[in-house]
Amino acid sequence: MKFAIQVNEGPYQHQATDSAYQFTKAALEAGHEVMRVFFYHDGVNNGTKLTTPPQDDRNIVNRWTELAKKYDLDLVVCVAAAQRRGIVDEGEMQRNGKDAENIADNFRISGLGQLVEAGIQSERLVVFGD
Amino acid sequence: MSEQIKKFMYINRRAPYGTIYAWESLEVVLIGAAFDQDVSLAFLDDGVFQLVKGQDTAEVDMKNFSPTYQALGDYDVTKLFVEKESLEERGLTLDDLMPLTYEDEDDDWAEKDSIKVVSRAELADIMEEQDVMFSF
């Protein structure tokens, strides 16, 4: 099965992020394809490398990065949602005259077209949120 | 832009203000319109408030994005299903909603209503026909 995943909620605040991760990991381990994970709304906060949870808790951001490295997973943060919430990569930093970037490894910032395209190209789009 | 046409439904269940879901959902709809899919929108639960006419957000200092719904017809987004029971549960009728129309190119550009009030059971049937459902 060819899946696409949409994450609509922020990390730690809401379990949607954890469920999305567990689902994605399980699907990949079972041999399915996950063609894209798209982070929208507060879900874009999954993609900041500045996240520093207590050491005895899971690191949600690093967890995604590790999964992406292992399975060559496409982690896409919505640019419009990211701009509102201060998630910035090198290109966005320069375009918007900021003095810092914070995008985590293996995440990329792109447009909503990537979400719609994922809906078209996947066999199942699975949305995690309220 | 795409080789196949799917039935896309955007499901709107939340009030227009208070959270950003309604506004960011509309942004997906507008971007998605460029992909030439078979698009419809569903409004249910507090989502029916998104279409209420006469919205005034000045006192809460938020952007009133409700005029954007008027543009949907120009984007060929012409199927807006509003759940009857959700309206009734909130003391609303069709008259409380913005009149949203489109010009039907297959019918000599006649102006037609985009909003269609459907029952909960009918909406369930419509959802059953969809290929992709975005819920916000």
Side-chain angles (χ1 to χ4, degrees):
Chain A
M1 181 72 80
K2 186 174 180 177
F3 288 103
I5 308 294
Q6 181 181 343
V7 182
N8 284 343
E9 304 293 340
Y12 302 102
Q13 170 79 8
H14 197 294
Q15 197 185 334
T17 273
D18 293 274
S19 300
Y21 171 79
Q22 300 295 354
F23 181 94
T24 303
K25 184 165 174 281
L28 291 167
E29 284 171 354
H32 296 292
E33 180 184 353
V34 177
M35 54 91 64
R36 183 165 297 145
V37 182
F38 192 89
F39 297 91
Y40 199 41
H41 302 309
D42 277 356
V44 299
N45 290 312
N46 278 271
T48 166
K49 66 184 177 189
L50 298 181
T51 298
T52 314
Q55 286 194 350
D56 60 353
D57 196 359
R58 68 220 187 282
N59 188 316
I60 291 176
V61 178
N62 291 352
R63 211 167 56 174
W64 282 119
T65 296
E66 283 155 22
L67 198 65
K69 280 180 179 160
K70 186 170 179 187
Y71 291 98
D72 197 22
L73 192 56
D74 189 20
L75 304 176
V76 180
V77 175
C78 168
V79 62
Q83 284 175 339
R84 289 192 178 104
R85 294 165 178 87
I87 308 298
V88 182
D89 65 7
E90 189 78 28
E92 285 296 302
M93 179 180 86
Q94 285 167 9
R95 223 179 338 274
N96 298 307
K98 305 294 181 184
D99 61 3
E101 53 87 21
N102 62 343
I103 192 81
D105 286 349
N106 293 77
F107 285 79
R108 65 188 179 96
I109 295 180
S110 190
L112 279 167
Q114 298 278 306
L115 172 62
V116 179
E117 183 188 79
I120 294 169
Q121 294 182 353
S122 65
E123 292 166 84
R124 293 284 187 282
L125 173 79
V126 187
V127 183
F128 291 87
D130 269 337
Chain B
M1 200 176 284
S2 59
E3 62 287 351
Q4 51 179 325
I5 293 187
K6 285 188 171 181
K7 290 175 83 73
F8 270 60
M9 175 173 265
Y10 297 89
I11 302 166
N12 301 285
R13 319 183 71 122
R14 293 186 174 89
Y17 311 99
T19 65
I20 200 170
Y21 297 104
W23 175 224
E24 287 192 332
S25 167
L26 195 52
E27 289 189 333
V28 184
V29 174
L30 296 174
I31 297 285
F35 285 77
D36 293 328
Q37 302 295 304
D38 181 0
V39 172
S40 62
L41 275 58
F43 296 86
L44 57 154
D45 300 341
D46 278 350
V48 297
F49 285 118
Q50 294 179 27
L51 299 179
V52 167
K53 64 185 170 192
Q55 294 179 31
D56 180 358
T57 59
E59 295 286 324
V60 289
D61 196 22
M62 284 190 207
K63 177 175 169 176
N64 179 0
F65 61 89
S66 64
T68 309
Y69 292 102
Q70 316 271 358
L72 288 176
D74 297 333
Y75 284 82
D76 287 329
V77 177
T78 60
K79 288 181 283 189
L80 278 62
F81 299 107
V82 178
E83 195 192 71
K84 184 169 174 283
E85 287 87 343
S86 293
L87 284 174
E88 289 172 355
E89 286 158 8
R90 288 158 183 81
L92 297 170
T93 69
L94 185 57
D95 288 339
D96 295 305
L97 306 184
M98 293 181 274
L100 299 178
T101 58
Y102 69 101
E103 292 175 344
D104 188 351
E105 60 179 312
D106 297 326
D107 190 10
D108 198 25
W109 304 99
E111 193 171 77
K112 297 188 175 176
D113 290 325
S114 298
I115 293 178
K116 190 175 179 201
V117 178
V118 296
S119 71
R120 195 159 280 168
E122 286 172 318
L123 189 56
D125 289 341
I126 295 165
M127 286 179 170
E128 189 67 33
E129 298 168 0
Q130 303 302 315
D131 295 311
V132 182
M133 292 203 280
F134 293 101
S135 54
F136 295 102

